Amino acid sequence: QVQLVESGGGLVQNGGSLRLSCAASGRTVSNYHMGWFRQAPGKEREFVAARTWTGSSTDYTDSVKGRFTIARDNARNTVYLQMNSLKPEDTAVYYCAAGTFLFTTRTARTRASYISWGQGTQVTVSS
């Protein structure tokens, strides 16, 4: 099973940008679909973005479309989440996840589809 470690979180002002990284070890991420989820205080963990293992398909939750981009560098065994035009409501702990499911909009957005999770990185957007 692949092990995942997120980094790149921090404090940023409203409208700013951050790039999160998810470094994998144990197995190559090229065999996995990759997703990003987030969890704000007192809320359920929610889907943010996902990308197939081939990189040919992506999916984003509506609130981040046009602002966030999920990218993967299989040679570096790393997945990224570029976040632009950040808003205070983007404040959350962000988690990356890996899975080998049949990729559809429904499955990519389902937490149970993913078999490996990172420990999370905090993103705080000040108003």
Side-chain angles (χ1 to χ4, degrees):
Q1 202 164 350
V2 64
Q3 289 80 47
L4 306 172
V5 177
E6 303 95 335
S7 61
L11 174 64
V12 64
Q13 290 187 336
N14 189 13
S17 297
L18 281 174
R19 188 178 77 159
L20 305 183
S21 298
C22 174
S25 62
R27 292 193 177 184
T28 175
V29 293
S30 62
N31 296 327
Y32 295 86
H33 305 314
M34 299 299 296
W36 285 95
F37 288 73
R38 65 187 179 187
Q39 188 166 17
K43 294 189 176 182
E44 293 282 318
R45 191 173 299 187
E46 65 173 1
F47 170 78
V48 176
R51 195 174 188 104
T52 56
W53 69 274
T54 62
S56 60
S57 296
T58 57
D59 187 32
Y60 297 91
T61 193
D62 286 347
S63 63
V64 308
K65 284 181 180 177
R67 300 189 298 123
F68 290 13
T69 302
I70 182 171
R72 59 190 303 158
D73 185 340
N74 289 341
R76 296 180 182 272
N77 230 22
T78 301
V79 178
Y80 305 96
L81 185 68
Q82 177 66 45
M83 306 186 295
N84 299 327
S85 302
L86 282 161
K87 305 175 182 180
E89 50 264 44
D90 295 317
T91 295
V93 177
Y94 283 71
Y95 300 88
C96 69
T100 58
F101 51 93
L102 178 63
F103 192 98
T104 67
T105 297
R106 183 182 64 81
T107 58
R109 298 182 179 209
T110 303
R111 285 177 292 173
S113 297
Y114 298 86
I115 57 175
S116 295
W117 292 82
Q119 83 292 344
T121 186
Q122 176 71 47
V123 171
T124 303
V125 184
S126 63
S127 57

